[in-house]
């Protein structure tokens, strides 16, 4: 579903206006977060389009009005958290060169046992800066994690919405090994792009048949940096 049309400054003007205020993945307090799952009955359930949560009702109303979906209070005991189940599985975003980060983490209920940057510990504080012992390659890290002996990736992406940049910085956190593997290429593309770079955040449907004949489907996050901003804008709107 295409976002509603609206009048106002051109996208080129918005890109120019926002160039001095780039989104950073290290933003301590993003105005909202993107998700590919939601909790139902205590279990994570995949969504077919982007789900966004925020503590700001005005931002939730703006998101629902543009991307579709009625803001709803989450049943978490916190009346300030609102979710918007949008009707868009791809959203154009503005990315800065420091929009991406990758950490390896092993967490338990209410505790973090391991947090590193892939080579040195970030937490606990007593171990910060010391070698973490994680394998060098992502494939070996994945094998260790699957064997219960290593942490999993935490990919963090900070961005502004290209259609609504005035709302502020949003974030997306993913434990996807596929997205983690794509980060070096994505970072290289950002290094070559004009800042802020126009990109696309997609909630891609993946379907396949297992060897036993079981049909499997899930949504995986995909981030792309557009080569040309004008052409990318048209492509995003046509595909939405």
């Amino acid at each position: 579903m295409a976002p509603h049309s609206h009048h106002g400054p051109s996208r080129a003007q918005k890109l120019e206006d926002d160039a001095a205020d780039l989104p950073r993945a290290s933003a301590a307090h993003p105005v909202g977060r993107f998700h590919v799952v939601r909790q139902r009955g205590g279990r994570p359930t995949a969504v077919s389009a982007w789900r966004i949560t925020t503590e700001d009702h005005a931002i939730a109303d703006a998101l629902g009005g543009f991307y579709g979906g009625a803001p709803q209070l989450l049943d978490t005991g916190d009346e300030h958290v609102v979710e918007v189940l949008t009707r868009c599985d791809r959203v154009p975003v503005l990315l800065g060169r420091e929009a991406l980060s990758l950490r390896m983490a092993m967490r338990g209920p209410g505790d973090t046992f391991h947090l590193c940057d892939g080579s040195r510990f970030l937490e606990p504080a007593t171990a910060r800066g010391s070698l973490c012992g994680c394998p060098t390659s992502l494939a070996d890290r994945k094998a260790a994690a699957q064997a219960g002996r290593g942490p999993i990736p935490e990919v963090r992406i900070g961005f502004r919405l290209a259609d609504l940049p005035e709302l502020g910085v949003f974030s997306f956190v993913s434990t996807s090994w596929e997205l983690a593997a794509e980060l070096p290429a994505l970072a290289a593309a950002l290094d070559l792009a004009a800042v802020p770079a126009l990109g696309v955040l997609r909630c891609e449907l993946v379907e396949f048949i297992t060897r036993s004949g079981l049909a499997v489907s899930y949504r995986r996050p995909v981030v792309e940096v557009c080569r040309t901003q004008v052409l990318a804008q048209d492509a995003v709107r046509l595909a939405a």
Side-chain angles (χ1 to χ4, degrees), residues 114-164:
H114 180 119
L115 186 65
C116 72
D117 61 6
S119 61
R120 296 184 180 274
F121 278 110
L122 300 173
E123 292 182 15
T126 54
R128 184 176 179 85
S130 61
L131 295 175
C132 61
C134 286
T136 303
S137 75
L138 198 63
D140 289 340
R141 293 180 193 176
K142 184 175 182 180
Q146 291 176 333
R149 294 182 288 99
I152 62 175
E154 280 189 357
V155 178
R156 294 175 179 268
I157 303 173
F159 53 90
R160 289 182 186 269
L161 303 175
D163 294 302
L164 301 167

Side-chain angles (χ1 to χ4, degrees), residues 159-176:
F159 53 90
R160 289 182 186 269
L161 303 175
D163 294 302
L164 301 167
E166 68 279 2
L167 293 185
V169 176
F170 288 78
S171 72
F172 174 63
V173 180
S174 173
T175 58
S176 167

Side-chain angles (χ1 to χ4, degrees), residues 21-232:
D21 189 12
L22 300 179
R24 294 174 179 266
S26 59
H29 301 288
V31 298
R33 301 179 186 276
F34 275 58
H35 311 266
V36 292
V37 298
R38 69 190 304 236
Q39 294 290 328
R40 279 191 174 184
R43 294 184 177 183
T45 302
V47 292
S48 59
W50 283 110
R51 170 179 172 259
I52 311 173
T53 58
T54 179
E55 296 182 357
D56 191 315
H57 288 256
I59 288 178
D61 289 340
L63 294 170
F66 200 91
Y67 298 117
Q72 296 181 346
L73 290 176
L74 290 178
D75 186 17
T76 61
D78 186 347
E79 63 181 5
H80 300 297
V81 179
V82 187
E83 73 170 3
V84 180
L85 300 176
T86 75
R87 298 172 186 170
C88 296
D89 62 2
R90 58 182 65 207
V91 175
V93 297
L94 300 175
L95 299 161
R97 289 196 177 91
E98 298 182 17
L100 314 172
S101 69
L102 171 63
R103 304 190 300 182
M104 302 299 297
M106 182 180 291
R107 304 183 189 275
D111 198 4
T112 299
F113 303 107
H114 180 119
L115 186 65
C116 72
D117 61 6
S119 61
R120 296 184 180 274
F121 278 110
L122 300 173
E123 292 182 15
T126 54
R128 184 176 179 85
S130 61
L131 295 175
C132 61
C134 286
T136 303
S137 75
L138 198 63
D140 289 340
R141 293 180 193 176
K142 184 175 182 180
Q146 291 176 333
R149 294 182 288 99
I152 62 175
E154 280 189 357
V155 178
R156 294 175 179 268
I157 303 173
F159 53 90
R160 289 182 186 269
L161 303 175
D163 294 302
L164 301 167
E166 68 279 2
L167 293 185
V169 176
F170 288 78
S171 72
F172 174 63
V173 180
S174 173
T175 58
S176 167
W177 288 99
E178 293 169 293
L179 184 57
E182 293 164 358
L183 277 190
L186 185 58
L190 282 176
D191 284 340
L192 297 175
V195 175
L198 179 63
V200 180
L201 187 63
R202 293 194 288 116
C203 183
E204 182 178 86
L205 177 63
V206 178
E207 299 178 301
F208 63 93
I209 305 296
T210 65
R211 293 182 179 179
S212 60
L214 179 65
V216 176
S217 66
Y218 66 95
R219 293 276 175 171
R220 86 174 188 96
V222 178
V223 185
E224 297 174 341
V225 175
C226 303
R227 294 186 178 182
T228 58
Q229 295 177 339
V230 175
L231 292 178

